[in-house]
Amino acid sequence: MTMGSRIRRTLLAGLVAAAVVVPVSAAASPKVPAPVPASFAPSATVQSRYTANLAAIGEASRMARDAGRTGRAEKLRTMAAAAPGQQGGAQFLTFDGRGQGRAIEVLGDLGTADRIAVLVPGSDTTLDTYQRFRDGARSLQQRLQREHPRSAVVAWLGYDTPGTVSTTVLTAARAEEAAVELGPFLNRLGEMTGADARISLLCHSYGSVVCARTGTGPRVGDVVLYGSPGTGLPSADRMPTGARVWAGRGSGDWISEVPHARFAGLGFGTDPVDPAFGARLFAAGSAGHSDYLKPGMESLDSLARIVIGPAAGSAGFTGPVASPTRQEASHA
């Protein structure tokens, strides 16, 4: 067998393994009627966006119910509910109920926050599985609030994520499409926030492939890759960002078994937690692939410390760097 054949078979084995170990995989969403997304003038206020998109979610829920899609209707009804302690309904900058669906939700107050985390999800994140993504965003927001009240989290489901059990999850095609959307969004987000607001980009699993292709401006101070299968790039300095680049993987994360190879456009190459990639390593503890943002996890504490960053006026921020023994555990 040739080297190329061995690599192809290894990558295929990785895909099959993912299908076995991922406990929840989104089935293809049935066609569900939904309203045309709201359009906004550049001068539209954040609050006007929230109000219009909340109405759109309500209308999408009614349309789904009338079409007999009660499962989707209930999920949308849950999406519209406010987070605990939040006044009014949920805060969505964007909502599109068509197909897999897209949504960009804000937890916290963009007007007062000076620390903002933007979460970019991985495969199988759709409107039908949105609650899992939202739970992680809420957990991070609650953790940030305990230490830094002027913080907000943006849950960015701004692209059609690939299915875990699909050939698209092995290529960067979806990531390249998503990066075209994410980069301009980050620029607009900077315009919605105060001049002192610092943005961190937190990228999970296939989301790390997206972030590795996303150009970021000076407002983005950190790009964090966690649970990553690789980025398709040989090193962090090839990423189109001037931000600090972090990487971490929990010792319980099955993604460590994915081969770090790249052949004929398949696979994502260098492991981001490999020193050769050049990222700063953070302590992720025993996190499994879906556990990084769960309350009480060491990974959640590390991510929160990266987002909060240095105190005003301080210098020499090093963040939650992983010890050699912990990093060795992440390869186990």
Side-chain angles (χ1 to χ4, degrees), residues 62 65 96 202 262:
R62 287 188 291 272
R65 184 191 61 220
D96 185 347
L202 275 55
R262 185 167 175 78

Side-chain angles (χ1 to χ4, degrees), residues 34-50:
V36 175
S39 59
F40 301 97
S43 59
T45 65
V46 169
Q47 190 57 54
S48 69
R49 291 171 183 267
Y50 293 163

Side-chain angles (χ1 to χ4, degrees), residues 237-255:
D237 61 13
R238 298 286 295 276
M239 292 170 55
T241 181
R244 287 178 289 261
V245 178
W246 300 81
R249 185 171 62 227
S251 60
D253 191 342
W254 58 263
I255 205 76

Side-chain angles (χ1 to χ4, degrees), residues 26 46 53 99 131 163 168 219 225 235 298 310:
V46 169
N53 285 314
Q131 192 59 43
T168 55
R219 297 290 290 278
L225 317 175
S235 61
E298 182 176 13

Side-chain angles (χ1 to χ4, degrees), residues 164-243:
T164 298
V165 186
S166 69
T167 56
T168 55
V169 81
L170 291 177
T171 76
R174 293 283 180 92
E176 289 167 355
E177 294 171 0
V180 172
E181 302 289 339
L182 179 56
F185 170 76
L186 294 172
N187 293 335
R188 292 193 299 273
L189 182 63
E191 296 169 358
M192 296 176 189
T193 59
D196 62 341
R198 180 174 173 275
I199 299 171
S200 298
L201 194 54
L202 275 55
C203 319
H204 178 239
S205 195
Y206 189 87
S208 66
V209 187
V210 174
C211 293
R213 285 158 175 73
T214 300
T216 65
R219 297 290 290 278
V220 177
D222 296 281
V223 177
V224 189
L225 317 175
Y226 58 104
S228 175
T231 65
L233 301 177
S235 61
D237 61 13
R238 298 286 295 276
M239 292 170 55
T241 181

Side-chain angles (χ1 to χ4, degrees), residues 55 69 105 145 172 214 218 253 266 283:
R69 306 297 191 181
E105 183 176 10
Q145 287 281 309
T214 300
D253 191 342
L266 297 177

